[in-house]
Amino acid sequence: MYFVTGTDTDAGKTLISEAMLRGATGSTLGLKPIASGCEQSNDGLRNADAQALMSASSVELDYKQVNPFAFEPAIAPHIAAEQAGVAITCQALNDAIPVDAMMQTDFVLVEGAGGWLLPISHGQTLDQWVAKQQWPVILVVGIKLGCLNHAMLTIKSIETAGLTVAGWVGNQLDPDMEYAPENIAYLKANIKAPCLGVVPYLQRVNAQAASAYIDLSLLD
């Protein structure tokens, strides 16, 4: 059971999470507890990231179990929740996630929203909830200008919270980034956790293709 966070919004958490689910053995389950930027459907609000995780999971759950906190505006979730009159708290998240299904599944990924220190309500942040669960964390590093600082700050914050960084995955966001190999080499040398892989820039988002670059055997 792992929590997936990113160095920033759009670092590629969903692409990498879906790729890991498709590459894992045994039963798999991906969850997206909080999502903004959802679209109205005949069945209610639906989020593309949550649906991608559902399609990559072998365990089938109702949408509400995968994404219990869904908001239409593509804004910070704590603001969207306040506008909707919904309280996202650590306790509310505990009550919403499908614990029984998670405990019975071989490989579970809980994907965060935004970055590591995402506010979920006034006075509470998502990292506080993860710390209470004591889940090991997989970090998705968006390989672009500034990624070194973002990655090292995020790693430091995760470890300060008393959590383990189980591994990290590089996701090439900028196909024209200068000295990308040198940046990746720095991350490999300075992050103690194993690099599970580096996914090159993909012209089209393709989790199946991305999975070929990720080695889950490096996870403890």
Side-chain angles (χ1 to χ4, degrees):
M1 199 172 302
Y2 301 93
F3 184 82
V4 181
T5 191
T7 45
D8 202 352
T9 300
D10 295 330
K13 295 187 301 298
T14 301
L15 170 66
I16 301 305
S17 294
E18 186 183 353
M20 289 192 289
L21 289 168
R22 293 188 181 281
T25 58
S27 57
T28 59
L29 175 61
L31 303 174
K32 179 81 173 178
I34 303 171
S36 54
C38 301
E39 295 184 358
Q40 287 287 355
S41 74
N42 292 334
D43 298 316
L45 287 172
R46 293 293 182 266
N47 176 263
D49 292 346
Q51 290 175 318
L53 298 181
M54 291 177 72
S55 69
S57 301
S58 65
V59 176
E60 296 184 6
L61 297 178
D62 292 337
Y63 181 87
K64 187 71 173 177
Q65 294 177 284
V66 173
N67 175 213
F69 293 95
F71 307 101
E72 187 170 5
I75 58 178
H78 74 290
I79 299 175
E82 186 174 6
Q83 291 179 353
V86 175
I88 308 176
T89 64
C90 293
Q91 186 58 54
L93 285 165
N94 284 344
D95 294 340
I97 59 173
V99 176
D100 289 345
M102 295 166 71
M103 296 300 294
Q104 296 170 18
T105 303
D106 297 316
F107 185 73
V108 179
L109 296 179
V110 181
E111 183 190 324
W116 175 244
L117 296 178
L118 178 86
I120 56 175
S121 62
H122 293 296
Q124 293 191 13
T125 51
L126 190 56
D127 62 294
Q128 294 173 330
W129 178 58
V130 182
K132 290 179 185 294
Q133 310 307 314
Q134 283 295 297
W135 288 327
V137 179
I138 296 173
L139 175 64
V140 178
V141 179
I143 305 299
K144 61 178 182 178
L145 188 63
C147 66
L148 302 185
N149 179 60
H150 290 165
M152 301 313 296
L153 281 175
T154 304
I155 292 284
K156 184 176 182 179
S157 184
I158 293 169
E159 292 177 342
T160 298
L163 295 170
T164 300
V165 180
W168 65 278
V169 179
N171 181 37
Q172 183 91 35
L173 298 176
D174 180 2
D176 301 317
M177 180 185 178
E178 293 187 275
Y179 303 107
E182 290 82 355
N183 278 261
I184 293 167
Y186 178 90
L187 292 170
K188 287 181 176 179
N190 287 276
I191 297 177
K192 296 177 184 178
C195 175
L196 307 179
V198 177
V199 177
Y201 179 79
L202 302 174
Q203 291 287 347
R204 298 179 63 183
V205 176
N206 186 327
Q208 193 65 53
S211 68
Y213 296 94
I214 301 173
D215 184 0
L216 293 178
S217 70
L218 297 174
L219 290 170
D220 290 336

